Amino acid sequence: MTEPAQNYVGIDTARRQAFNVWLIALAVVTVWLLLIVLPPVFAANEKTSVSTPLYLFFSNLCHQMPDRSFHILEHQLAVCSRCFGVYFGLVLGLAIYPLWRRVENIDPLPRIWLFASMVPIGIDWSLGMLDIWQNNHASRFITGLILGVGCATYIIPALVEIVRNLSKPSTSTAS
């Protein structure tokens, strides 16, 4: 069934809308990453009124074990190295997304790639838990980075499709 002409969205409008969604998503995830990096800077400058609430907020999302966290100015980041890798990967994945795929393209990639991006983090964690391999900051960060980039490639098409569907005019008619 074809849609009425008033529901038509031009290619330029769809492209601009998708670009705006991508830009907002990139900005939000970048601010999120800054909120992870800023607490040690504030703590080092004795601004605990700012750093403490941020550490507390992120403690609900991450274990924050000092020996598993990167440190800046002798204070740990608000999340561990694995979580930091995931969030950094999201920023990186969102930033490079338009370089390899059109932002307005909402066709999903095969889900196998999302699951494949989880494999390295699962292996790193499992081998560490089984005392076969002692994971470290680098392995945690890199496997988190892979997962973050993988997730970004699914987040953008989903957000663009959601915004596209929410911005469509209603086609229902009153009887």
Side-chain angles (χ1 to χ4, degrees):
M1 180 176 188
T2 60
E3 290 198 40
Q6 66 265 23
N7 291 349
Y8 175 74
V9 177
I11 292 172
D12 288 339
T13 303
R15 190 171 292 149
R16 190 174 332 108
Q17 183 184 54
F19 179 79
N20 289 339
V21 167
W22 168 76
L23 203 56
I24 290 167
L26 180 59
V28 167
V29 177
T30 301
V31 167
W32 184 264
L33 193 65
L34 283 173
L35 291 174
I36 291 169
V37 175
L38 287 177
V41 175
F42 286 122
N45 290 300
E46 299 176 5
K47 305 273 191 221
T48 56
S49 62
V50 178
S51 64
T52 301
L54 288 170
Y55 279 123
L56 184 61
F57 172 76
F58 283 104
S59 72
N60 296 306
L61 305 175
C62 177
H63 57 71
Q64 296 179 329
M65 295 170 76
D67 59 328
R68 293 184 177 198
S69 300
F70 291 122
H71 288 70
I72 296 175
L73 304 171
E74 299 180 17
H75 294 272
Q76 74 183 64
L77 296 181
V79 297
C80 70
S81 56
R82 181 171 286 132
C83 291
F84 183 69
V86 172
Y87 296 130
F88 189 83
L90 280 171
V91 171
L92 180 64
L94 290 175
I96 65 171
Y97 187 88
L99 299 176
W100 70 276
R101 193 163 193 232
R102 296 180 72 95
V103 180
E104 67 273 11
N105 184 358
I106 60 170
D107 294 332
L109 295 172
R111 274 183 243 142
I112 188 69
W113 296 113
L114 180 59
F115 294 118
S117 72
M118 294 180 210
V119 170
I121 207 168
I123 291 171
D124 186 55
W125 181 85
S126 298
L127 293 178
M129 288 300 294
L130 297 172
D131 286 328
I132 296 172
W133 148 269
Q134 183 56 46
N135 54 30
N136 55 36
H137 288 335
S139 69
R140 291 183 194 115
F141 176 78
I142 291 168
T143 57
L145 182 81
I146 293 167
L147 178 60
V149 170
C151 288
T153 63
Y154 291 86
I155 289 171
I156 290 300
L159 288 175
V160 169
E161 185 174 18
I162 289 167
V163 170
R164 192 175 288 170
N165 288 337
L166 290 175
S167 63
K168 279 185 181 177
S170 177
T171 58
S172 64
T173 56
S175 308

